[in-house]
């Protein structure tokens, strides 16, 4: 695959967008790797490295999990074909 000249560079990451009413910790689990981000109120992004396995995200305030979502697609080391599309899941909260 060749990127077009105006394309952004390719990256192997998981990006979680949050729209929060108050600050919280966003925990992104990709395979066995956990990435945490301190997110402010409003919109923010938490980026984690892409790894083999399932993808989950949760929002925690204090000791309470207030939202979570699991991706409908898992990352595999031997995909049938290369999928370069964006995938979207939502907690619908």
């Amino acid at each position: 695959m060749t990127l077009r000249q105006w394309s952004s560079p390719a990256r192997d990451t998981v990006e979680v967008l949050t729209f929060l009413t108050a600050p919280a910790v966003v925990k992104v689990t990709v395979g066995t790797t956990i990435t945490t981000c301190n997110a402010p109120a409003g919109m923010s992004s938490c980026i984690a490295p892409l790894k083999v396995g399932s993808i989950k995200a949760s929002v925690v305030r204090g000791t309470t999990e207030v939202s979570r979502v699991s991706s409908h697609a898992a990352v595999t080391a031997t995909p049938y074909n290369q999928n370069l599309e964006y995938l979207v899941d939502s907690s619908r909260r």
Side-chain angles (χ1 to χ4, degrees):
M1 181 182 112
T2 302
L3 293 173
R4 295 186 177 160
Q5 65 185 17
W6 58 84
S7 296
S8 298
R11 62 184 186 169
D12 288 332
T13 58
V14 172
E15 183 172 14
V16 175
L17 289 178
T18 54
F19 301 85
L20 303 174
T21 58
V25 173
V26 177
K27 182 172 100 171
V28 182
T29 305
V30 184
T32 58
T33 303
I34 298 172
T35 301
T36 58
C37 300
N38 292 315
M43 187 183 94
S44 68
S45 172
C46 183
I47 297 177
L50 187 66
K51 304 283 184 180
V52 172
S54 61
I55 302 170
K56 298 179 247 184
S58 63
V59 175
V60 179
R61 287 197 185 99
T63 58
T64 305
E65 182 180 77
V66 295
S67 183
R68 72 176 136 171
V69 64
S70 295
S71 175
H72 68 278
V75 179
T76 177
T78 55
Y80 177 71
N81 64 328
Q82 186 179 21
N83 181 351
L84 301 176
E85 296 179 5
Y86 290 99
L87 298 177
V88 177
D89 288 290
S90 173
S91 67
R92 295 195 169 115
R93 292 215 17 120

